[in-house]
Amino acid sequence: MSVPWTDAAAEAIARLVSSRTGFTYALQHPAKTEEGIRRAMEIRGSSSMPAYLRTLQDEPKAMDQLVDELTIRETYFFREPRHFDFIREHIVPETRRQHGEEHVFRAWSAGCASGEEAYSLAILVDQAGVGDRASVLGTDISHAALDTARAGRFRDWSLRGAGSGFLARYFRARGPAWELIDPIRRRVRFSFLNLALDSYPSHVSGTFGMDLILCRNVLIYFDAWTVEQVTKRLAASLAPGGWLVTASSDPTPGRNAGLVPHVTEHGVFYQRPVETMVAEVPEVVRPAPIQRATVKPMRPVTPRSDPVEPPDTPEARYERARKALRQGDYEQVLELVPDLGGNTDACRLRIDALANQRGPDAAVAAASQALRLHPLSTTLHFRHAVLLSSLGHLDASEEALRRVIYLDRGLAVAHFALGAIHWRLRRLDAARRSYRTAARLSADVPPESELPLADGQTAGALAAAAQRHLASLGGQEEAIPA
Ligand SMILES: C[S@@+](CC[C@H](N)C(=O)[O-])C[C@H]1O[C@@H](n2cnc3c(N)ncnc32)[C@H](O)[C@@H]1O
């Protein structure tokens, strides 16, 4: 039997934390949670729990500090080595076979704590000889953990799974710590992401089209409903054929996630079926063409050369490029649209193919170049914003979104994306305003109508997503003006 709360304000604080972060563990473990609350209060010099509760409601920084005290951030390099064996022996080679040599392997450590898991992935792809065609994203809800991760310095305890050869190759001794070498650090991008919120998959945070997601020792802190929601969103963030790896002690992903479990000698791993069509995947903001729609085996559907009807007009070529993009044949898109000399749609096709084939840096460079030729294109500014954000350039992304909104104030999806940027920069009032505008604009049109720039996203789905964000920000009580 669990120990009861000694203070009603402590329970109210645990409820607030749980509703904002999905960390229902706080509610289930009163004694540990109260200890954490008291530690966090001490850091702030606060002696009254009711007063501290009010502070938490108003100050995001105070909530961050408390989350840092309450979350368990135990992690180390190559934890559960058999998972990494499976990734090395099966997932990486299979992905290369499906998508080809040029494919950029996209991996995400969701709930990465101080970064050891994300860096283990970066080392693994280096060892597998595909390091220069791989990107790793590490996200967590703890800002303190993310700061440690970005610093890339670790003590022996974090490296207890590592052999001496591994140490010598990837680390430099720095006093009592070990510092990761630059090429490995550069491969990993860390950013804040609250898994309990409906903010992914999304191009704004780069959480789309993943070949591999590790979400280990995180789901264990959520209740069954939250596990269901989180695993559904993680599944939707995978490319068709992509893999979700959870820890052996984690709850199993919800059935609605649509993942296929594979029982192997290395453990149980979950795969998104290859044939899942992107259109079936719910997503908050999904400019779909950047996301892989399917894998190479579909290629025969669009032969490179058509002996009956040669692609003689630009429009015919763009139509074929659109098809190829939907089928994930990015090389063919790049062949059909070899430069940025065409119209804005052609530029978008090339930029989306570059994002998937060469990575976001190449795509951002192309978007900047295209914007010099088409400075009034909301499509291109929006793509630019999304790519900048996926690289962590939040200020630049915000500027690009503001341009989109300046050019067309009625684009709900742009307001929604701006809301996500504000949220990531901890500007909660501004985030509320943007989500409110997104909800109002999407409520102005029939719910089943597709929104501009959202590539298939319906007005109803965007309005609902904006409302969910507002609710999690404590803004749901404000009625949306008609
Ligand atoms: C025990 S660590 C797991 C680290 C690593 N995945 C591993 O298995 O070694 C759990 C991490 O989940 C993070 N976390 C908890 N709730 C979260 C949420 N709602 N969104 C994102 N991260 C969360 C915590 O901050 C903590 O860093």
Side-chain angles (χ1 to χ4, degrees):
M1 244 196 55
S2 75
V3 185
W5 298 96
T6 62
D7 192 319
E11 187 176 0
I13 288 172
R15 285 199 188 286
L16 183 68
V17 172
S18 158
S19 71
R20 293 243 176 121
T21 67
F23 195 70
T24 45
Y25 180 91
L27 274 171
Q28 289 143 13
H29 297 82
K32 276 198 179 148
T33 303
E34 285 198 18
E35 271 171 36
I37 293 173
R38 285 183 209 289
R39 278 198 306 276
M41 285 173 65
E42 211 175 302
I43 295 171
R44 282 195 82 80
S46 172
S47 54
S48 144
M49 245 193 229
Y52 181 58
L53 171 61
R54 285 192 293 279
T55 310
L56 288 170
Q57 280 159 338
D58 297 338
E59 283 185 35
K61 187 126 184 67
M63 179 56 89
D64 287 349
Q65 275 171 348
L66 177 58
V67 167
D68 284 343
E69 287 306 317
L70 295 179
T71 49
I72 293 104
R73 303 205 296 259
E74 163 66 0
T75 184
Y76 53 94
F77 277 85
F78 291 97
R79 184 180 190 178
E80 284 210 64
R82 62 203 187 113
H83 287 177
F84 291 92
D85 292 342
F86 185 75
I87 296 165
R88 189 181 296 111
E89 289 163 23
H90 189 84
I91 296 180
V92 171
E94 189 194 276
T95 309
R96 305 268 294 166
R97 259 196 310 278
Q98 281 186 340
H99 298 288
E101 299 283 296
E102 292 302 303
H103 174 70
V104 176
F105 184 78
R106 292 170 59 79
W108 175 15
S109 163
C112 64
S114 36
E116 287 86 335
E117 185 177 80
Y119 286 130
S120 299
L121 286 171
I123 290 171
L124 183 150
V125 288
D126 187 76
Q127 289 170 331
V130 297
D132 54 344
R133 308 224 52 77
S135 74
V136 181
L137 171 69
T139 63
D140 202 278
I141 198 173
S142 162
H143 289 280
L146 290 168
D147 286 346
T148 310
R150 288 189 191 104
R153 285 186 182 201
F154 299 93
R155 298 295 179 114
D156 287 344
W157 188 238
S158 284
L159 289 151
R160 57 192 180 274
S164 53
F166 162 91
L167 264 183
R169 179 150 179 214
Y170 293 107
F171 293 85
R172 301 277 168 268
R174 287 275 180 270
W178 294 95
E179 188 175 84
L180 263 168
I181 56 169
D182 272 352
I184 299 295
R185 285 177 57 180
R186 276 200 302 268
R187 199 160 292 147
V188 187
R189 181 172 63 80
F190 289 101
S191 63
F192 174 91
L193 187 136
N194 181 351
L195 287 167
L197 293 186
D198 190 5
S199 59
Y200 61 99
S202 159
H203 289 272
V204 177
S205 57
T207 47
F208 66 94
M210 291 288 168
D211 297 301
L212 168 67
I213 300 176
L214 266 68
C215 185
R216 305 185 308 159
N217 305 296
V218 184
L219 299 175
I220 202 165
Y221 302 113
F222 300 153
D223 61 14
W225 185 84
T226 312
V227 168
E228 178 91 28
Q229 302 305 311
V230 168
T231 50
K232 223 157 85 179
R233 287 194 288 267
L234 290 176
S237 306
L238 286 169
W243 294 83
L244 171 68
V245 179
T246 58
S248 43
S249 49
D250 280 331
T252 46
R255 279 174 184 228
N256 290 343
L259 296 172
V260 179
H262 292 260
V263 182
T264 76
E265 55 177 333
H266 302 284
V268 185
F269 302 93
Y270 302 90
Q271 188 176 27
R272 177 172 165 186
V274 170
E275 61 276 13
T276 310
M277 295 306 293
V278 163
E280 293 166 15
V281 177
E283 192 182 329
V284 180
V285 183
R286 188 191 58 227
I290 293 183
Q291 185 163 355
R292 261 172 233 115
T294 186
V295 292
K296 289 268 174 183
M298 295 289 286
R299 190 172 174 143
V301 178
T302 50
R304 262 162 207 267
S305 58
D306 182 341
V308 183
E309 276 182 84
D312 45 4
T313 66
E315 199 31 61
R317 270 201 313 276
Y318 300 159
E319 188 46 42
R320 293 181 64 201
R322 262 179 233 121
K323 253 191 206 164
L325 192 70
R326 280 198 297 276
Q327 295 176 343
D329 192 344
Y330 309 117
E331 234 5 278
Q332 192 182 8
V333 178
L334 297 177
E335 277 171 29
L336 287 164
V337 189
D339 54 39
L340 297 162
N343 62 22
T344 53
D345 191 39
C347 292
R348 177 194 62 86
L349 288 165
R350 186 166 173 82
I351 291 163
D352 289 356
L354 283 171
N356 283 280
Q357 192 76 349
R358 312 266 155 85
D361 282 315
V364 164
S368 309
Q369 196 188 331
L371 276 164
R372 280 197 285 279
L373 301 166
H374 306 281
L376 301 181
S377 163
T378 49
T379 303
L380 294 178
H381 279 297
F382 187 67
R383 275 302 187 271
H384 195 211
V386 160
L387 289 160
L388 286 165
S389 161
S390 78
L391 286 167
H393 304 321
L394 300 188
D395 291 339
S397 176
E398 179 183 355
E399 205 180 309
L401 285 171
R402 289 199 184 285
R403 285 206 186 106
V404 178
I405 291 168
Y406 175 77
L407 290 167
D408 185 346
R409 299 195 65 75
L411 288 167
V413 89
H415 290 279
F416 188 95
L418 187 59
I421 298 276
H422 286 315
W423 162 253
R424 286 172 73 187
L425 292 169
R426 319 302 290 152
R427 300 183 205 132
L428 301 192
D429 281 341
R432 277 188 201 99
R433 279 197 298 279
S434 295
Y435 285 132
R436 241 177 249 137
T437 309
R440 178 174 49 76
L441 289 170
S442 0
D444 278 352
V445 287
E448 64 287 355
S449 52
E450 287 184 11
L451 290 170
L453 297 190
D455 288 316
Q457 177 80 14
T458 64
L462 195 82
Q467 285 293 12
R468 278 195 296 276
H469 283 274
L470 278 170
S472 83
L473 284 163
Q476 78 276 33
E477 71 283 356
E478 288 187 43
I480 294 172

PDB file of all heavy atoms in Angstrom, residues 340 344 347 351 364-385 388 400 403-404 407:
ATOM      1  N   LEU A 340      16.838  24.584 -59.183  1.00  0.00           N
ATOM      2  CA  LEU A 340      15.761  25.382 -58.595  1.00  0.00           C
ATOM      3  C   LEU A 340      15.241  26.429 -59.577  1.00  0.00           C
ATOM      4  O   LEU A 340      14.707  27.451 -59.189  1.00  0.00           O
ATOM      5  CB  LEU A 340      16.263  26.051 -57.314  1.00  0.00           C
ATOM      6  CG  LEU A 340      16.653  25.051 -56.219  1.00  0.00           C
ATOM      7  CD1 LEU A 340      17.533  25.721 -55.172  1.00  0.00           C
ATOM      8  CD2 LEU A 340      15.413  24.462 -55.553  1.00  0.00           C
ATOM      9  N   THR A 344       7.498  27.501 -58.056  1.00  0.00           N
ATOM     10  CA  THR A 344       7.649  27.242 -56.607  1.00  0.00           C
ATOM     11  C   THR A 344       7.335  25.781 -56.270  1.00  0.00           C
ATOM     12  O   THR A 344       7.946  25.210 -55.365  1.00  0.00           O
ATOM     13  CB  THR A 344       6.721  28.151 -55.774  1.00  0.00           C
ATOM     14  OG1 THR A 344       5.406  27.999 -56.259  1.00  0.00           O
ATOM     15  CG2 THR A 344       7.147  29.576 -55.837  1.00  0.00           C
ATOM     16  N   CYS A 347      10.398  23.794 -56.947  1.00  0.00           N
ATOM     17  CA  CYS A 347      11.401  24.051 -55.891  1.00  0.00           C
ATOM     18  C   CYS A 347      11.056  23.242 -54.649  1.00  0.00           C
ATOM     19  O   CYS A 347      11.916  22.634 -54.014  1.00  0.00           O
ATOM     20  CB  CYS A 347      11.452  25.527 -55.519  1.00  0.00           C
ATOM     21  SG  CYS A 347      12.091  26.557 -56.832  1.00  0.00           S
ATOM     22  N   ILE A 351      13.359  20.546 -52.740  1.00  0.00           N
ATOM     23  CA  ILE A 351      13.738  20.775 -51.334  1.00  0.00           C
ATOM     24  C   ILE A 351      13.333  19.563 -50.473  1.00  0.00           C
ATOM     25  O   ILE A 351      14.110  19.080 -49.654  1.00  0.00           O
ATOM     26  CB  ILE A 351      13.071  22.070 -50.808  1.00  0.00           C
ATOM     27  CG1 ILE A 351      13.688  23.285 -51.493  1.00  0.00           C
ATOM     28  CG2 ILE A 351      13.216  22.178 -49.292  1.00  0.00           C
ATOM     29  CD1 ILE A 351      12.855  24.547 -51.356  1.00  0.00           C
ATOM     30  N   VAL A 364      17.943  23.240 -46.382  1.00  0.00           N
ATOM     31  CA  VAL A 364      17.852  24.649 -45.955  1.00  0.00           C
ATOM     32  C   VAL A 364      18.577  25.533 -46.963  1.00  0.00           C
ATOM     33  O   VAL A 364      18.069  26.598 -47.365  1.00  0.00           O
ATOM     34  CB  VAL A 364      18.464  24.838 -44.538  1.00  0.00           C
ATOM     35  CG1 VAL A 364      18.732  26.303 -44.267  1.00  0.00           C
ATOM     36  CG2 VAL A 364      17.511  24.301 -43.487  1.00  0.00           C
ATOM     37  N   ALA A 365      19.751  25.078 -47.414  1.00  0.00           N
ATOM     38  CA  ALA A 365      20.505  25.875 -48.395  1.00  0.00           C
ATOM     39  C   ALA A 365      19.667  26.038 -49.660  1.00  0.00           C
ATOM     40  O   ALA A 365      19.572  27.143 -50.227  1.00  0.00           O
ATOM     41  CB  ALA A 365      21.832  25.188 -48.707  1.00  0.00           C
ATOM     42  N   ALA A 366      19.015  24.956 -50.093  1.00  0.00           N
ATOM     43  CA  ALA A 366      18.189  25.027 -51.306  1.00  0.00           C
ATOM     44  C   ALA A 366      16.991  25.947 -51.086  1.00  0.00           C
ATOM     45  O   ALA A 366      16.633  26.734 -51.964  1.00  0.00           O
ATOM     46  CB  ALA A 366      17.716  23.625 -51.692  1.00  0.00           C
ATOM     47  N   ALA A 367      16.395  25.870 -49.897  1.00  0.00           N
ATOM     48  CA  ALA A 367      15.222  26.716 -49.620  1.00  0.00           C
ATOM     49  C   ALA A 367      15.626  28.198 -49.647  1.00  0.00           C
ATOM     50  O   ALA A 367      14.908  29.031 -50.211  1.00  0.00           O
ATOM     51  CB  ALA A 367      14.608  26.342 -48.274  1.00  0.00           C
ATOM     52  N   SER A 368      16.794  28.524 -49.080  1.00  0.00           N
ATOM     53  CA  SER A 368      17.233  29.930 -49.086  1.00  0.00           C
ATOM     54  C   SER A 368      17.425  30.404 -50.519  1.00  0.00           C
ATOM     55  O   SER A 368      17.036  31.520 -50.885  1.00  0.00           O
ATOM     56  CB  SER A 368      18.565  30.109 -48.345  1.00  0.00           C
ATOM     57  OG  SER A 368      18.486  29.521 -47.099  1.00  0.00           O
ATOM     58  N   GLN A 369      18.052  29.524 -51.321  1.00  0.00           N
ATOM     59  CA  GLN A 369      18.294  29.892 -52.725  1.00  0.00           C
ATOM     60  C   GLN A 369      16.957  30.077 -53.461  1.00  0.00           C
ATOM     61  O   GLN A 369      16.774  31.065 -54.178  1.00  0.00           O
ATOM     62  CB  GLN A 369      19.092  28.754 -53.363  1.00  0.00           C
ATOM     63  CG  GLN A 369      19.759  29.135 -54.673  1.00  0.00           C
ATOM     64  CD  GLN A 369      20.371  27.898 -55.335  1.00  0.00           C
ATOM     65  OE1 GLN A 369      20.767  26.950 -54.657  1.00  0.00           O
ATOM     66  NE2 GLN A 369      20.448  27.927 -56.652  1.00  0.00           N
ATOM     67  N   ALA A 370      16.010  29.161 -53.228  1.00  0.00           N
ATOM     68  CA  ALA A 370      14.713  29.252 -53.911  1.00  0.00           C
ATOM     69  C   ALA A 370      13.978  30.522 -53.489  1.00  0.00           C
ATOM     70  O   ALA A 370      13.301  31.165 -54.299  1.00  0.00           O
ATOM     71  CB  ALA A 370      13.876  28.020 -53.594  1.00  0.00           C
ATOM     72  N   LEU A 371      14.150  30.911 -52.237  1.00  0.00           N
ATOM     73  CA  LEU A 371      13.436  32.098 -51.746  1.00  0.00           C
ATOM     74  C   LEU A 371      13.974  33.389 -52.356  1.00  0.00           C
ATOM     75  O   LEU A 371      13.260  34.375 -52.448  1.00  0.00           O
ATOM     76  CB  LEU A 371      13.504  32.149 -50.224  1.00  0.00           C
ATOM     77  CG  LEU A 371      12.422  31.302 -49.557  1.00  0.00           C
ATOM     78  CD1 LEU A 371      12.738  31.057 -48.089  1.00  0.00           C
ATOM     79  CD2 LEU A 371      11.049  31.955 -49.712  1.00  0.00           C
ATOM     80  N   ARG A 372      15.240  33.356 -52.789  1.00  0.00           N
ATOM     81  CA  ARG A 372      15.765  34.553 -53.461  1.00  0.00           C
ATOM     82  C   ARG A 372      15.034  34.741 -54.796  1.00  0.00           C
ATOM     83  O   ARG A 372      14.829  35.854 -55.252  1.00  0.00           O
ATOM     84  CB  ARG A 372      17.271  34.413 -53.659  1.00  0.00           C
ATOM     85  CG  ARG A 372      18.050  34.738 -52.376  1.00  0.00           C
ATOM     86  CD  ARG A 372      19.509  35.008 -52.639  1.00  0.00           C
ATOM     87  NE  ARG A 372      20.242  33.803 -52.911  1.00  0.00           N
ATOM     88  CZ  ARG A 372      20.697  32.972 -51.982  1.00  0.00           C
ATOM     89  NH1 ARG A 372      20.507  33.240 -50.703  1.00  0.00           N
ATOM     90  NH2 ARG A 372      21.356  31.880 -52.304  1.00  0.00           N
ATOM     91  N   LEU A 373      14.641  33.606 -55.416  1.00  0.00           N
ATOM     92  CA  LEU A 373      13.927  33.686 -56.702  1.00  0.00           C
ATOM     93  C   LEU A 373      12.421  33.910 -56.521  1.00  0.00           C
ATOM     94  O   LEU A 373      11.765  34.484 -57.355  1.00  0.00           O
ATOM     95  CB  LEU A 373      14.142  32.391 -57.499  1.00  0.00           C
ATOM     96  CG  LEU A 373      15.590  32.054 -57.812  1.00  0.00           C
ATOM     97  CD1 LEU A 373      15.727  30.622 -58.298  1.00  0.00           C
ATOM     98  CD2 LEU A 373      16.121  33.021 -58.871  1.00  0.00           C
ATOM     99  N   HIS A 374      11.888  33.411 -55.387  1.00  0.00           N
ATOM    100  CA  HIS A 374      10.430  33.508 -55.156  1.00  0.00           C
ATOM    101  C   HIS A 374      10.192  34.074 -53.754  1.00  0.00           C
ATOM    102  O   HIS A 374       9.708  33.359 -52.870  1.00  0.00           O
ATOM    103  CB  HIS A 374       9.780  32.115 -55.255  1.00  0.00           C
ATOM    104  CG  HIS A 374      10.077  31.380 -56.515  1.00  0.00           C
ATOM    105  ND1 HIS A 374       9.426  31.638 -57.699  1.00  0.00           N
ATOM    106  CD2 HIS A 374      10.971  30.389 -56.793  1.00  0.00           C
ATOM    107  CE1 HIS A 374       9.893  30.827 -58.649  1.00  0.00           C
ATOM    108  NE2 HIS A 374      10.836  30.074 -58.113  1.00  0.00           N
ATOM    109  N   PRO A 375      10.523  35.344 -53.533  1.00  0.00           N
ATOM    110  CA  PRO A 375      10.479  35.871 -52.161  1.00  0.00           C
ATOM    111  C   PRO A 375       9.073  35.958 -51.565  1.00  0.00           C
ATOM    112  O   PRO A 375       8.943  36.116 -50.360  1.00  0.00           O
ATOM    113  CB  PRO A 375      11.107  37.261 -52.287  1.00  0.00           C
ATOM    114  CG  PRO A 375      11.000  37.611 -53.726  1.00  0.00           C
ATOM    115  CD  PRO A 375      10.994  36.329 -54.496  1.00  0.00           C
ATOM    116  N   LEU A 376       8.043  35.839 -52.389  1.00  0.00           N
ATOM    117  CA  LEU A 376       6.684  35.983 -51.855  1.00  0.00           C
ATOM    118  C   LEU A 376       5.968  34.641 -51.709  1.00  0.00           C
ATOM    119  O   LEU A 376       4.756  34.590 -51.493  1.00  0.00           O
ATOM    120  CB  LEU A 376       5.847  36.895 -52.762  1.00  0.00           C
ATOM    121  CG  LEU A 376       6.403  38.302 -52.944  1.00  0.00           C
ATOM    122  CD1 LEU A 376       5.481  39.129 -53.835  1.00  0.00           C
ATOM    123  CD2 LEU A 376       6.589  38.988 -51.602  1.00  0.00           C
ATOM    124  N   SER A 377       6.716  33.548 -51.805  1.00  0.00           N
ATOM    125  CA  SER A 377       6.066  32.234 -51.745  1.00  0.00           C
ATOM    126  C   SER A 377       5.883  31.772 -50.298  1.00  0.00           C
ATOM    127  O   SER A 377       6.856  31.513 -49.581  1.00  0.00           O
ATOM    128  CB  SER A 377       6.908  31.204 -52.511  1.00  0.00           C
ATOM    129  OG  SER A 377       6.508  29.900 -52.133  1.00  0.00           O
ATOM    130  N   THR A 378       4.622  31.660 -49.890  1.00  0.00           N
ATOM    131  CA  THR A 378       4.363  31.178 -48.523  1.00  0.00           C
ATOM    132  C   THR A 378       4.796  29.709 -48.389  1.00  0.00           C
ATOM    133  O   THR A 378       5.288  29.292 -47.347  1.00  0.00           O
ATOM    134  CB  THR A 378       2.865  31.303 -48.173  1.00  0.00           C
ATOM    135  OG1 THR A 378       2.109  30.731 -49.233  1.00  0.00           O
ATOM    136  CG2 THR A 378       2.460  32.726 -47.954  1.00  0.00           C
ATOM    137  N   THR A 379       4.612  28.934 -49.459  1.00  0.00           N
ATOM    138  CA  THR A 379       5.007  27.513 -49.432  1.00  0.00           C
ATOM    139  C   THR A 379       6.488  27.389 -49.100  1.00  0.00           C
ATOM    140  O   THR A 379       6.880  26.598 -48.226  1.00  0.00           O
ATOM    141  CB  THR A 379       4.761  26.869 -50.821  1.00  0.00           C
ATOM    142  OG1 THR A 379       3.402  27.050 -51.147  1.00  0.00           O
ATOM    143  CG2 THR A 379       5.124  25.406 -50.829  1.00  0.00           C
ATOM    144  N   LEU A 380       7.312  28.175 -49.788  1.00  0.00           N
ATOM    145  CA  LEU A 380       8.763  28.044 -49.589  1.00  0.00           C
ATOM    146  C   LEU A 380       9.192  28.602 -48.232  1.00  0.00           C
ATOM    147  O   LEU A 380      10.040  28.021 -47.556  1.00  0.00           O
ATOM    148  CB  LEU A 380       9.519  28.725 -50.733  1.00  0.00           C
ATOM    149  CG  LEU A 380       9.330  28.060 -52.108  1.00  0.00           C
ATOM    150  CD1 LEU A 380      10.086  28.826 -53.192  1.00  0.00           C
ATOM    151  CD2 LEU A 380       9.797  26.602 -52.090  1.00  0.00           C
ATOM    152  N   HIS A 381       8.589  29.714 -47.823  1.00  0.00           N
ATOM    153  CA  HIS A 381       8.931  30.244 -46.479  1.00  0.00           C
ATOM    154  C   HIS A 381       8.552  29.223 -45.400  1.00  0.00           C
ATOM    155  O   HIS A 381       9.277  29.042 -44.427  1.00  0.00           O
ATOM    156  CB  HIS A 381       8.202  31.567 -46.218  1.00  0.00           C
ATOM    157  CG  HIS A 381       8.873  32.748 -46.856  1.00  0.00           C
ATOM    158  ND1 HIS A 381      10.140  33.163 -46.505  1.00  0.00           N
ATOM    159  CD2 HIS A 381       8.450  33.606 -47.815  1.00  0.00           C
ATOM    160  CE1 HIS A 381      10.471  34.226 -47.226  1.00  0.00           C
ATOM    161  NE2 HIS A 381       9.468  34.508 -48.033  1.00  0.00           N
ATOM    162  N   PHE A 382       7.421  28.562 -45.606  1.00  0.00           N
ATOM    163  CA  PHE A 382       6.987  27.597 -44.586  1.00  0.00           C
ATOM    164  C   PHE A 382       7.946  26.405 -44.542  1.00  0.00           C
ATOM    165  O   PHE A 382       8.355  25.953 -43.467  1.00  0.00           O
ATOM    166  CB  PHE A 382       5.553  27.130 -44.878  1.00  0.00           C
ATOM    167  CG  PHE A 382       4.990  26.262 -43.769  1.00  0.00           C
ATOM    168  CD1 PHE A 382       4.732  26.803 -42.519  1.00  0.00           C
ATOM    169  CD2 PHE A 382       4.752  24.912 -43.967  1.00  0.00           C
ATOM    170  CE1 PHE A 382       4.233  26.011 -41.476  1.00  0.00           C
ATOM    171  CE2 PHE A 382       4.254  24.113 -42.939  1.00  0.00           C
ATOM    172  CZ  PHE A 382       3.991  24.670 -41.692  1.00  0.00           C
ATOM    173  N   ARG A 383       8.318  25.898 -45.731  1.00  0.00           N
ATOM    174  CA  ARG A 383       9.292  24.796 -45.769  1.00  0.00           C
ATOM    175  C   ARG A 383      10.585  25.212 -45.065  1.00  0.00           C
ATOM    176  O   ARG A 383      11.174  24.466 -44.290  1.00  0.00           O
ATOM    177  CB  ARG A 383       9.657  24.446 -47.223  1.00  0.00           C
ATOM    178  CG  ARG A 383       8.723  23.503 -47.903  1.00  0.00           C
ATOM    179  CD  ARG A 383       8.638  22.217 -47.117  1.00  0.00           C
ATOM    180  NE  ARG A 383       7.890  21.195 -47.798  1.00  0.00           N
ATOM    181  CZ  ARG A 383       6.581  21.008 -47.700  1.00  0.00           C
ATOM    182  NH1 ARG A 383       5.848  21.807 -46.964  1.00  0.00           N
ATOM    183  NH2 ARG A 383       5.997  20.026 -48.334  1.00  0.00           N
ATOM    184  N   HIS A 384      11.023  26.425 -45.381  1.00  0.00           N
ATOM    185  CA  HIS A 384      12.257  26.947 -44.796  1.00  0.00           C
ATOM    186  C   HIS A 384      12.143  26.946 -43.268  1.00  0.00           C
ATOM    187  O   HIS A 384      13.038  26.489 -42.555  1.00  0.00           O
ATOM    188  CB  HIS A 384      12.453  28.375 -45.332  1.00  0.00           C
ATOM    189  CG  HIS A 384      13.834  28.910 -45.115  1.00  0.00           C
ATOM    190  ND1 HIS A 384      14.076  30.240 -44.931  1.00  0.00           N
ATOM    191  CD2 HIS A 384      15.041  28.313 -45.053  1.00  0.00           C
ATOM    192  CE1 HIS A 384      15.370  30.428 -44.774  1.00  0.00           C
ATOM    193  NE2 HIS A 384      15.979  29.275 -44.840  1.00  0.00           N
ATOM    194  N   ALA A 385      11.001  27.422 -42.779  1.00  0.00           N
ATOM    195  CA  ALA A 385      10.782  27.504 -41.325  1.00  0.00           C
ATOM    196  C   ALA A 385      10.852  26.116 -40.677  1.00  0.00           C
ATOM    197  O   ALA A 385      11.508  25.921 -39.655  1.00  0.00           O
ATOM    198  CB  ALA A 385       9.409  28.125 -41.047  1.00  0.00           C
ATOM    199  N   LEU A 388      14.454  24.818 -40.678  1.00  0.00           N
ATOM    200  CA  LEU A 388      15.292  25.537 -39.699  1.00  0.00           C
ATOM    201  C   LEU A 388      14.988  25.033 -38.297  1.00  0.00           C
ATOM    202  O   LEU A 388      15.888  24.811 -37.476  1.00  0.00           O
ATOM    203  CB  LEU A 388      15.021  27.045 -39.782  1.00  0.00           C
ATOM    204  CG  LEU A 388      15.613  27.743 -41.007  1.00  0.00           C
ATOM    205  CD1 LEU A 388      14.987  29.127 -41.177  1.00  0.00           C
ATOM    206  CD2 LEU A 388      17.127  27.857 -40.886  1.00  0.00           C
ATOM    207  N   ALA A 400      11.041  33.079 -40.144  1.00  0.00           N
ATOM    208  CA  ALA A 400      10.466  32.575 -41.406  1.00  0.00           C
ATOM    209  C   ALA A 400       8.945  32.410 -41.265  1.00  0.00           C
ATOM    210  O   ALA A 400       8.188  32.741 -42.185  1.00  0.00           O
ATOM    211  CB  ALA A 400      11.121  31.253 -41.784  1.00  0.00           C
ATOM    212  N   ARG A 403       7.221  35.631 -41.588  1.00  0.00           N
ATOM    213  CA  ARG A 403       7.085  36.053 -42.993  1.00  0.00           C
ATOM    214  C   ARG A 403       5.861  35.396 -43.620  1.00  0.00           C
ATOM    215  O   ARG A 403       5.112  36.029 -44.350  1.00  0.00           O
ATOM    216  CB  ARG A 403       8.329  35.648 -43.785  1.00  0.00           C
ATOM    217  CG  ARG A 403       9.460  36.543 -43.472  1.00  0.00           C
ATOM    218  CD  ARG A 403      10.484  36.636 -44.592  1.00  0.00           C
ATOM    219  NE  ARG A 403      11.557  37.434 -44.047  1.00  0.00           N
ATOM    220  CZ  ARG A 403      12.721  36.959 -43.675  1.00  0.00           C
ATOM    221  NH1 ARG A 403      13.025  35.701 -43.866  1.00  0.00           N
ATOM    222  NH2 ARG A 403      13.613  37.753 -43.129  1.00  0.00           N
ATOM    223  N   VAL A 404       5.692  34.101 -43.331  1.00  0.00           N
ATOM    224  CA  VAL A 404       4.531  33.391 -43.890  1.00  0.00           C
ATOM    225  C   VAL A 404       3.261  34.112 -43.450  1.00  0.00           C
ATOM    226  O   VAL A 404       2.368  34.401 -44.260  1.00  0.00           O
ATOM    227  CB  VAL A 404       4.480  31.922 -43.386  1.00  0.00           C
ATOM    228  CG1 VAL A 404       3.246  31.215 -43.939  1.00  0.00           C
ATOM    229  CG2 VAL A 404       5.739  31.157 -43.765  1.00  0.00           C
ATOM    230  N   LEU A 407       2.654  37.377 -45.092  1.00  0.00           N
ATOM    231  CA  LEU A 407       2.163  37.223 -46.461  1.00  0.00           C
ATOM    232  C   LEU A 407       0.711  36.744 -46.497  1.00  0.00           C
ATOM    233  O   LEU A 407      -0.033  37.051 -47.406  1.00  0.00           O
ATOM    234  CB  LEU A 407       3.049  36.230 -47.235  1.00  0.00           C
ATOM    235  CG  LEU A 407       4.448  36.751 -47.548  1.00  0.00           C
ATOM    236  CD1 LEU A 407       5.363  35.623 -48.008  1.00  0.00           C
ATOM    237  CD2 LEU A 407       4.382  37.847 -48.616  1.00  0.00           C
TER     238      LEU A 407
END
